[in-house]
Each structure stands twice: as C-alpha cells, then as structure tokens.
Amino acid sequence: MASYLESEPPSPGESSGDESQGVEATRICEKMKLNQRLAAKELVNTEAKYVHNLQLCASDIRSHLHELPQGDLDVIFSNIDDIIKVNSRFLKDLEKAGSEEEQISLLGNLFLEFQEEMENTYKVYCACYNQALALVETYRKVPKLQKVIHDVITALVPQACASGLSFLLVMPVQRVTRYPLLLQKILENTPPDDEAYEALQRATRAMQEVNSNINEYKRQKEIATKYNKLEHLTVRERLARINTHSISKKTLRLSQLFKQEAGIVTRTFLRIKPYECDLEMEGGAVQQYCCFTRDLHLLVFLEFKQRLERLVYHPLHHLSKALLGPQNLIKKRLDKLLDFERTEEKLAEMGSMTYEEEAIRHTYQALNSLLVSELPQFNQVAIQWLGQILNTLMALQRDLAQQVLQRAERELGQLPHSHVSDFDFRKLIEDTLDKTSAQLQSFCQNFQKVLPVPVRQPLQPAAERQVQALMSKYSPSKLYQVTSNISGSGNLALTLQKGQIVAVLQDRDIKGNTSRWLVDTGGYRGYVPAGKLEPYQVVPHDKPSMQSGSGDGFKFLPVETPRSSTHVAMPVFQVVAAYPFVARSNYEVSLQAGQSVTVLERQDKKGNPEWSLVEVNGQRGYVPSNFLVCVPSPTPWGWSLPTGDSSLSHM
Amino acid sequence: MSWIPFKIGQPKKQIVPKTVERDFEREYGKLQQLEDQTKKLQKDLKKSTDADLAMSKSAVKISSDLLSNPLCEQDQEFLNLVTALDTAMKRMDAFNQEKVNQIQKTVIEPLKKFGSVFPSLNMAVKRREQALQDYKRLQSKVEKYEEKEKTGPVLAKLHQVREELRPVKDDFEAKNRQLLEEMPRFYNSRLDYFQPSFESLIRAQMEMFRGQLAMELEIQEKKP
C-alpha cells in the first residue's frame, strides 16, 4: 500500500507558517476536495450508466437474439443477471447518501460491504468471459447471424454498433477493474485525517483484493482448459485419486464391452433372417414364426439396439471422455509439484525467486487447489451418472422382454397348442419328434433300398442243371456265385469263370485261413478265394418274376420281367452259330454265321465237350462248341473252359 | 443328360421320354433346393444360438466386472445397484441357456436328421443315373446292330445285346419309378415335420422372455 501522499505536492510540515503557504495549502486542500468530490461523482454516475447499460444488454438485447440457441446465449451472457442485481443494489445504496460528504464516507463502507458479493459474481463472469468472446467470434463469421445481432444492437444501443456484442460484454470486466482505480483516485484526493480515509483505504485494498482473486480464479479455470487440451501422457504412474481412476477404467471397459456386445448382436444376431428363407411352406406354425421373427428383427431388436446405443452406450462414452480431463490434470499436478518442490528448495537456499519461479509456484498452487476443491464433486457426479446408466440398462432389458413377450403371445395364440402349459408342450414336442424321426428313418431306408438290382444273368441250361444238382446235395443257402474270374494256383485251387455257381462246403481252408473256401462245383472240389464269391439266390424255375423279399433286400424288382422264365423256358433253341464253320468230315456239319441251330448234345461220343452235336438245316453233325453262342451271355461260359486244369464237368 | 459323350454324327436319340425326364428333374430340383435350405437354416440357427449365448455371457461379464470394482466398497448404493444388475444378468444367462437347449433339442436336431436323408437320396439318384447310362449305352449298341446288315453274326450279336439290354432297361425304369414316387412324398412330408419345430421356436423365446421379465419386475420392486 504505497503512500498516496507522495503524489501530492510535498508539504510535510506546512501546517504552520507562511501565509502564502497556508493559502496555498488551503487552495490545495480545496482542490483535493474538489477532485475528491468529482471522483466520487464520477464513480456514482458511471455506476448508474453501467447498470443501465447492463440492463439493456441483458434484457433487451438478449431477448431479441432468439435466433441463437439457448445454450449459446447462456454462455455469452453468463451470470449477467446476478451482476445486475448486485450492482443495482449497490447503486441504490450509493444514491441513498445525502450530501457529498456522506457519500464519500459511505463509499468506503459500501464497498467493503459489497466486496464478497461482487467478488463471487464477477469472478464467474470473468472466468466465462473468454468463452463468450470466442462464441461471439464464431458468430461474427456467420453472416446471417451477424446481421441479426448487428440489427438488434443498432436498434437498441446505437453507439455500440461498430464493435458489436463484444463491446457490451466487456463492460462488467472493465467495471470491476475500474473500481480500484476510481477508489484510488478518491483516496488520493482525501486527506489522511479525513474520517472516511480509513474506510476508503480499506475499500481500495478490498477491491484490489477482489481483482486479484478474480484473476486467481480465472487462472484456475484456464489451467483446467489449458491442460485438458494436452493429449500427451506421462510415463509416471498416478499416485492417489484411485476413485477417478477406477471409475474411468471400469467405464472404459464397460463401453468396450457394450461396443462388443452391440457389435456382436448386430453382426450375427440381426443378420440371421430366417423369415427370408423361402421354404415354400404355406400354413401352419411357419406363418406365425415368420411374422414373429420379422417383427422381432425389424422392430423390436432394432429399437432395442438403438435405445441401447443412445441411452447407454453414448452416455458411457461421454463419461469416459469426461474422465480423461481430470486424469490429465492430475498428471500435470504431479509434474508441477516437482517443479514446485524444486522452487521450494531454491527458496530455502536463496530466499528469493525469479519471476518464472513465482509463476511456477502459482501454477502449482492453483492446480492443486482446483483439484482438491472440485474432484470430490466430480467423482460424486460421475458415480451418479454411472448408476443412472446401469439403471437404464436394466430398464431397457425389461422393455425388450415385455415387447418380445407381447408379440410372442400374440403369435402363439394363433397356434393350436397355445393353451398347453410349457411342460406338457415339451412332452408333446418330444413325442411328435420321435414319430417324425421314425418317419424320416423309413424314408432313409427307402432311398437306400434302391440297391442295384444285380443284373441277373439267366443261367445257362447246363448251369441250371448243375445248380439243381448242387441244390439236391446241399441247401440253397450254401450256393454262391462267382463274381469274377478265378484263376487257381497251388494245391486244390480251382479255376472258375464269372457267374459260375458253386456250393460252399467249408468257409476256411485246412490251415484255418478264412479267406479261402472249399467249394464244390458239382463235380470237382477245390479252394477259391472267398472274396470272389457272393451268395446266390436260387431262382425257382416256374415263377415268372423274381420277387424275393428277404435276404438281399431289394424291394423293387421289375414285376413283369419274364426274362428269366423266357430264358429258362427256352433253353435249347436259342443257340446261334457265331462264326461260319466248314465241316471237314461227315461227322461235322457246316455252319453259317448267325445261323440258328438246335443243340442235341453238348459233347461228342467220347464225352469231349469241345464238340457239340447240333442239327442245322436238317443236317446233323458235330460242330465246335466254341462256335455256338447262346444268348444272352456275352461269353460262352457254360460251354467251354479255356484253361486246362479247370474242372467244370457237365452232366 | 450331358454326361453322355456326344458321338459326333450320331443324332442324340431320346431314349427316355422327355416328360419323364422333366418330371424327374423338377422333383429332384425341388429336393436339392430343400437340401440347400435345410443346410443354410441349420447354419443360421447355430450362429443365432451362438450369438445368443455370447450376448448373455458378455452381459454376465459386464456385471461381474462391475462387482469387482473397488467403487462398490466405497459406495453402498452403488454396490446395491451393481449386485442387482449382476443377479439380473446371471439369471438372464440361465434363461438364455435353457432356451438354447430347448431350441437345440427341438429344432436343430430334427433339422440335422432331416438333412441326413439327403445323402441316401443323392446316392439313389446317382444309381439311377448310372442305370440310365448303362441303358443308353446298350440301347445305342442295339441300334447300331440293328442298322447293320442282317447277317448271321450280326443277328447273333443283336440278339445278345437285346437280351442284355432288357434287364438294364427294367432296372432303370424301376429306379426311376421309385424315385419319382418317393421324392414328392418326402418333399411334402417336410411341412408336417417342421411344424412342431417352429412352434417350439416361438415358445422357447417366449419362455425365456417371460422368465426374464418376471425377474426384472421382481428386482425393480426390491429397489427403493
């Protein structure tokens, strides 16, 4: 608190003495008093004008600016109403003073009285002032809005139209900084022994304090915004404030889960659209199901998902973003703490600090006090927020359940079994399913039963007779047919042709090898590989169709194939000469290719099967058996055997 | 019938009448479509049930994560809220599981069984095709011989081949007839077969949500 008397013309010990000096002194005194009064008047007048302008700005201008969104208006004008209230009261009290003398003494006390209130209101306004300015700037860039603002201002406050809204907004800021100056001026012109001096002095000091507090407050707020913008993370661990940390971690995880859940739900759940499958099913439960699922997918689930996103996911997202700021600040505080401690050390050593170090100290202190004061509130709000979100989640699920239920009941009501209780329904379903699966089984078997109908080569008459002979000796179940040519090698091995019928005597050989079976070909016995035998179904002669139901299990044999019967019934006559043959002796007879012959005997007098006694064209004679063909067999297997040690004997 | 190698110069004779072939193709086509759709439906149902389960599992995870949050120890109200949420999620999971089981039993299993008929069907159709092939081959042989001069050996051959042809032809016709009969029957049986499945699908959903709703209301009543 510098001495203001120094600005006065020095007159320390002038009370006594010189007339001229005394006159001067009084003159100076008079001047001072005049100045003082003038200053006081100035203060009061400007105050009145100030309040008036504020009111204009707040009520009239603001109400005309309804083009702008309400939130922005709030930011621009912030707590101007509060300021107006405080200042109008202040003004009223100021004007209460009667004479000018009183006014001055009143001034000081009044200021002291209003100090706290002013501080509170103005500090809020000043803190928001920057933001308001920025907003006005952005509006300046939008021509349409700018014009609107301009018009309104021109209409109401003509002298301010040049600089726009910012001119009006800056008034409170200017005012509050002016107070100390005005007060100082008054104080300057007040002699120290004036009764109001003390009050004035205190008032001036108070207003200066107000100003520095406002600055401090502003700095606090600005630190928050400044550091919130910083994105870089420090490597150092955070110490305290586990609350915020864990809330943030959990909410991050939560939002991640929700993202995943929503992602999964949308990706697969909603993608499956069974109602789009066209199974060509007209009526029945399918209709209901189709309607039901279509409803579900297009309406209910979509709605649920949207609500989930809007009411749960986005808030969570915002919450986790909001938590980032404080975290950054906490980190910064730690950094600043280290700086602060460094300056403390320096202070302890040297006792003074440079300006930068002062600044560092202030920063740290500002940050610290900000965090200490605001973090608990913040935590509280965050917890509440989280709780709210969780509640919403549950409510959403409840709604979903309700909706699905409503629809399901509606659809189900149209189905036959709607009245059946759940438990009974399940049993019903199980029974039905059992039945239908049995049905399916039968279908399956049907399809499988289409076994290849073995091309049943009708037997040669000779073979037929052989079969008969075999059958007479053995039971029909022992008869096997050779599936492919067997060439025997080794002891007692038979060489057989495809299609030959044999009877199995034993299904293993002497050594116990089950892959070689002992068979009887009707005349000869020997071993053949078992793999080349398949069971032979004896076809009864006289039946025209081969409808055998059991055993092989072929279901659909041609019903009207008389082939076996025709062939069996025509054993001998359908023998045709395949190649021409020239008779070389009278025992032989000539043949022409394609000629139909009648076979009388299949062997010659000596029993040689290579010659057959045939009758052709009325002539009888022997012809080589090979030259005869008996349809339909592709190879004349019944007739002759190529290899030497085969043993098919004819009867 | 495109697998029969086209003999250049020989006009492709339609051995099997066109109408029959067309009928067969149509029926078989329908069944093939049915098979594809059954498979697709099976896959989709499986995906849907998996997604269902995944959803409820993640819900349970959310709530148990929240429970383990140290915040719960500090704030009693929060703790209550989170425990309620946790119970809700766990119960929902149980319901969901049950629903999935139900669906598994009544829809997916029958679908699988239905699908298992198709391989045998396809085999049967293949056999029919083979028989057709044989039939055509022999038929062309017969015709070839018929066109030749009627000499002795040719005649003999002709007879032989004719006789060969007959069983093959009968076999083919038998197969054809059988399949033509069975396929539509099978196709039509699917309607009755699947009705209960669909009904149970709706029911299962309904049960689950009913249970869930009851539980949620209960929890809501408990809250202040």
Side-chain angles (χ1 to χ4, degrees):
Chain A
M1 181 66 175
S3 167
Y4 296 89
L5 299 174
E6 281 172 34
S7 54
E8 280 190 278
S11 53
E14 248 124 20
S15 40
S16 64
D18 266 333
E19 265 289 314
S20 57
Q21 283 195 324
V23 170
E24 229 179 85
T26 16
R27 241 189 311 130
I28 289 168
C29 236
E30 284 290 328
K31 202 156 87 172
M32 264 170 58
K33 260 221 170 92
L34 192 66
N35 284 344
Q36 186 195 52
R37 305 263 164 77
L38 278 176
K41 201 171 273 195
E42 185 188 340
L43 188 128
V44 177
N45 286 344
T46 47
E47 184 72 27
K49 224 192 322 183
Y50 167 64
V51 174
H52 173 74
N53 275 344
L54 269 187
Q55 275 175 340
L56 197 73
C57 182
S59 48
D60 296 335
I61 296 185
R62 180 155 61 169
S63 55
H64 276 92
L65 286 179
H66 35 245
E67 307 256 331
L68 286 71
Q70 187 57 37
D72 287 352
L73 281 179
D74 285 341
V75 169
I76 293 178
F77 291 104
S78 62
N79 67 341
I80 211 168
D81 298 322
D82 297 332
I83 296 181
I84 292 175
K85 265 192 247 160
V86 171
N87 274 83
S88 19
R89 271 186 17 238
F90 183 64
L91 185 64
K92 222 164 45 174
D93 287 344
L94 261 182
E95 286 170 348
K96 263 197 242 165
S99 71
E100 294 186 350
E101 288 276 340
E102 277 180 30
Q103 203 168 49
I104 293 180
S105 54
L106 195 61
L107 257 178
N109 289 328
L110 214 56
F111 265 114
L112 287 171
E113 216 180 283
F114 275 87
Q115 176 195 3
E116 197 171 314
E117 268 184 67
M118 281 201 184
E119 183 178 326
N120 287 336
T121 44
Y122 276 100
K123 82 176 175 191
V124 174
Y125 187 86
C126 291
C128 298
Y129 177 65
N130 279 345
Q131 236 178 334
L133 265 192
L135 206 53
V136 171
E137 261 311 300
T138 53
Y139 280 135
R140 196 180 278 255
K141 298 204 181 91
V142 179
K144 189 174 81 136
L145 289 174
Q146 177 58 19
K147 189 164 184 320
V148 168
I149 297 175
H150 194 79
D151 290 339
V152 170
I153 296 178
T154 339
L156 296 170
V157 186
Q159 63 269 28
C161 65
S163 22
L165 209 52
S166 44
F167 177 82
L168 297 166
L169 291 177
V170 84
M171 282 192 313
V173 182
Q174 286 175 336
R175 190 70 198 161
V176 79
T177 42
R178 211 110 187 266
Y179 284 139
L181 298 173
L182 286 170
L183 279 173
Q184 205 162 321
K185 201 157 168 219
I186 299 179
L187 196 64
E188 273 173 24
N189 292 313
T190 318
D193 48 5
D194 203 281
E195 53 187 10
Y197 186 77
E198 171 95 26
L200 278 175
Q201 204 177 35
R202 278 208 339 252
T204 332
R205 228 186 316 198
M207 286 323 280
Q208 280 173 339
E209 214 176 285
V210 166
N211 270 306
S212 64
N213 283 349
I214 293 179
N215 270 340
E216 213 28 63
Y217 186 77
K218 194 156 167 225
R219 196 205 321 244
Q220 275 188 1
K221 293 292 172 190
E222 276 176 3
I223 278 180
T225 44
K226 181 168 102 180
Y227 286 127
N228 263 334
K229 292 204 202 95
L230 290 177
E231 297 280 317
H232 64 267
L233 300 169
T234 60
V235 180
R236 272 167 284 178
E237 295 283 297
R238 280 182 288 263
L239 296 174
R241 316 295 168 149
I242 298 183
N243 289 353
T244 334
H245 176 61
S246 35
I247 292 182
S248 102
K249 200 156 80 160
K250 296 306 172 185
T251 40
L252 275 176
R253 210 179 289 170
L254 209 76
S255 65
Q256 185 67 20
L257 274 172
F258 268 116
K259 240 192 302 193
Q260 277 179 357
E261 178 191 338
I264 289 178
V265 168
T266 40
R267 249 188 291 122
T268 46
F269 205 64
L270 284 182
R271 254 211 332 221
I272 294 154
K273 302 180 169 64
Y275 56 83
E276 279 180 10
C277 288
D278 177 25
L279 289 174
E280 269 192 325
M281 296 171 81
E282 288 84 40
V286 190
Q287 264 322 64
Q288 265 71 38
Y289 182 67
C290 278
C291 294
F292 175 56
T293 28
R294 197 172 320 158
D295 262 348
L296 272 191
H297 283 228
L298 294 181
L299 299 173
V300 175
F301 284 145
L302 215 56
E303 195 187 320
F304 178 64
K305 173 174 168 259
Q306 281 169 348
R307 288 179 80 196
L308 197 69
E309 260 180 33
R310 214 181 50 215
L311 295 173
V312 178
Y313 180 59
H314 281 142
L316 263 183
H317 200 58
H318 287 312
L319 181 59
S320 54
K321 271 204 286 201
L323 288 170
L324 285 176
Q327 282 177 353
N328 274 339
L329 282 183
I330 292 171
K331 276 185 240 149
K332 266 297 152 192
R333 173 192 162 270
L334 287 178
D335 296 345
K336 295 295 169 190
L337 182 59
L338 292 172
D339 293 341
F340 179 73
E341 280 168 2
R342 190 164 52 86
T343 57
E344 286 267 302
E345 283 171 17
K346 194 154 175 244
L347 189 65
E349 281 172 33
M350 296 206 285
S352 73
M353 283 184 288
T354 62
Y355 183 64
E356 285 98 23
E357 284 157 359
E358 281 278 352
I360 291 173
R361 287 175 71 86
H362 281 308
T363 329
Y364 166 71
Q365 278 159 344
L367 196 49
N368 198 32
S369 52
L370 171 71
L371 285 176
V372 168
S373 59
E374 299 208 344
L375 263 185
Q377 286 174 338
F378 180 76
N379 285 348
Q380 204 57 28
V381 171
I383 293 180
Q384 276 180 352
W385 194 355
L386 189 61
Q388 194 69 9
I389 293 176
L390 292 176
N391 274 332
T392 348
L393 177 64
M394 297 226 274
L396 280 184
Q397 296 216 315
R398 195 166 48 235
D399 288 344
L400 175 70
Q402 259 172 347
Q403 288 203 338
V404 173
L405 207 55
Q406 190 190 34
R407 284 186 166 74
E409 275 175 357
R410 193 173 58 206
E411 298 296 339
L412 207 58
Q414 301 172 21
L415 289 177
H417 298 124
S418 53
H419 56 280
V420 177
S421 80
D422 288 337
F423 182 66
D424 292 338
F425 181 74
R426 271 186 227 177
K427 285 208 58 185
L428 199 67
I429 284 263
E430 277 176 29
D431 294 335
T432 334
L433 283 179
D434 285 336
K435 264 188 278 171
T436 44
S437 73
Q439 220 179 15
L440 271 189
Q441 281 286 72
S442 75
F443 267 123
C444 219
Q445 277 164 3
N446 279 352
F447 286 129
Q448 277 172 351
K449 271 186 205 158
V450 185
L451 282 183
V453 178
V455 178
R456 316 267 294 137
Q457 310 215 333
L459 294 178
Q460 291 301 305
E464 275 287 327
R465 277 176 258 148
Q466 183 194 14
V467 170
Q468 299 285 358
L470 281 177
M471 257 179 36
S472 57
K473 278 198 256 173
Y474 308 102
S475 69
S477 61
K478 286 230 163 68
L479 289 183
Y480 281 76
Q481 186 171 31
V482 179
T483 49
S484 54
N485 294 348
I486 303 176
S487 41
S489 54
N491 293 349
L492 301 176
L494 295 177
T495 303
L496 301 175
Q497 288 243 331
K498 175 177 168 179
Q500 217 168 329
I501 314 291
V502 298
V504 169
L505 299 172
Q506 262 190 342
D507 60 354
R508 60 190 69 231
D509 70 3
I510 319 167
K511 297 179 197 135
N513 188 359
T514 49
S515 61
R516 291 181 81 209
W517 289 359
L518 180 64
V519 301
D520 186 356
T521 61
Y524 287 76
R525 296 183 180 195
Y527 285 102
V528 293
K532 297 203 178 165
L533 296 177
E534 78 170 10
Y536 180 67
Q537 190 73 19
V538 178
V539 175
H541 261 266
D542 42 2
K543 290 223 189 90
S545 58
M546 298 197 276
Q547 277 181 7
S548 54
S550 60
D552 296 35
F554 42 94
K555 192 173 157 216
F556 278 83
L557 291 178
V559 178
E560 288 103 15
T561 32
R563 58 175 189 217
S564 49
S565 58
T566 47
H567 293 303
V568 171
M570 306 186 292
V572 184
F573 301 105
Q574 280 287 349
V575 179
V576 167
Y579 315 102
F581 174 66
V582 176
R584 294 171 301 186
S585 68
N586 3 2
Y587 297 111
E588 297 163 5
V589 69
S590 298
L591 285 180
Q592 282 172 348
Q595 210 172 17
S596 176
V597 304
T598 315
V599 173
L600 303 172
E601 278 191 20
R602 303 257 168 151
Q603 59 195 19
D604 67 4
K605 298 274 195 282
K606 294 188 194 125
N608 188 352
E610 290 190 30
W611 293 93
S612 307
L613 182 64
V614 302
E615 181 172 324
V616 62
N617 296 342
Q619 287 181 324
R620 286 190 185 195
Y622 286 99
V623 297
S625 308
N626 312 22
F627 281 46
L628 297 170
V629 71
C630 180
V631 295
S633 62
T635 56
W637 53 266
W639 292 93
S640 61
L641 299 163
T643 55
D645 54 344
S646 57
S647 51
L648 179 72
S649 70
H650 294 283
M651 300 189 314
Chain B
M1 302 199 283
S2 54
W3 56 84
I4 295 176
F6 188 73
K7 295 191 188 120
I8 302 184
Q10 184 178 21
K12 212 161 157 196
K13 290 212 183 134
Q14 287 296 65
I15 299 175
V16 180
K18 255 204 165 123
T19 46
V20 173
E21 194 63 35
R22 218 183 344 189
D23 282 341
F24 189 81
E25 291 288 316
R26 190 184 64 221
E27 289 296 318
Y28 188 51
K30 278 205 290 195
L31 277 173
Q32 271 180 324
Q33 207 184 11
L34 185 62
E35 181 181 359
D36 288 336
Q37 279 173 342
T38 319
K39 283 213 190 89
K40 181 154 170 276
L41 192 60
Q42 225 179 314
K43 256 193 284 191
D44 281 347
L45 269 176
K46 180 140 198 327
K47 269 198 265 182
S48 150
T49 46
D50 283 344
D52 247 338
L53 282 176
M55 181 176 87
S56 59
K57 288 271 177 296
S58 58
V60 170
K61 190 159 184 294
I62 289 177
S63 57
S64 35
D65 270 350
L66 277 175
L67 255 187
S68 61
N69 191 330
L71 207 56
C72 291
E73 296 151 21
Q74 297 159 7
D75 194 345
Q76 183 59 33
E77 219 178 271
F78 193 69
L79 177 66
N80 292 342
L81 180 64
V82 172
T83 7
L85 186 71
D86 189 44
T87 341
M89 294 298 178
K90 287 213 173 82
R91 300 259 280 272
M92 181 176 99
D93 187 36
F95 280 124
N96 216 6
Q97 187 71 37
E98 203 179 296
K99 168 180 111 172
V100 165
N101 284 344
Q102 184 76 337
I103 290 185
Q104 190 81 6
K105 235 183 353 176
T106 55
V107 184
I108 296 189
E109 296 284 317
L111 257 183
K112 264 199 228 153
K113 283 205 199 124
F114 196 74
S116 69
V117 179
F118 285 108
S120 347
L121 171 67
N122 289 337
M123 280 299 295
V125 171
K126 270 205 203 87
R127 284 192 286 257
R128 172 194 172 274
E129 298 298 349
Q130 268 178 342
L132 183 63
Q133 216 173 347
D134 290 338
Y135 179 33
K136 283 193 189 210
R137 186 168 46 89
L138 287 178
Q139 180 76 0
S140 62
K141 250 200 200 165
V142 165
E143 280 157 16
K144 188 177 78 182
Y145 279 119
E146 271 176 8
E147 282 166 17
K148 276 202 189 153
E149 299 176 354
K150 302 274 194 233
T151 58
V154 171
L155 272 179
K157 261 298 186 182
L158 185 62
H159 277 295
Q160 185 183 333
V161 172
R162 274 226 189 96
E163 293 309 324
E164 227 177 299
L165 175 68
R166 214 174 313 191
V168 171
K169 176 173 171 188
D170 295 330
D171 174 39
F172 164 72
E173 281 185 356
K175 288 196 168 84
N176 195 35
R177 199 173 328 128
Q178 185 214 13
L179 279 176
L180 272 178
E181 253 175 65
E182 294 284 330
M183 288 204 289
R185 260 209 304 148
F186 179 57
Y187 190 71
N188 291 332
S189 75
R190 81 196 185 291
L191 284 171
D192 296 323
Y193 183 70
F194 280 121
Q195 300 290 28
S197 304
F198 281 109
E199 206 176 319
S200 107
L201 258 176
I202 303 183
R203 272 236 167 192
Q205 293 263 43
M206 198 174 84
E207 269 176 41
M208 175 183 114
F209 280 109
R210 197 186 294 157
Q212 195 175 341
L213 187 64
M215 167 193 74
E216 302 258 359
L217 287 174
E218 196 185 300
I219 290 181
Q220 192 187 20
E221 273 162 30
K222 280 207 214 125
K223 280 203 293 195

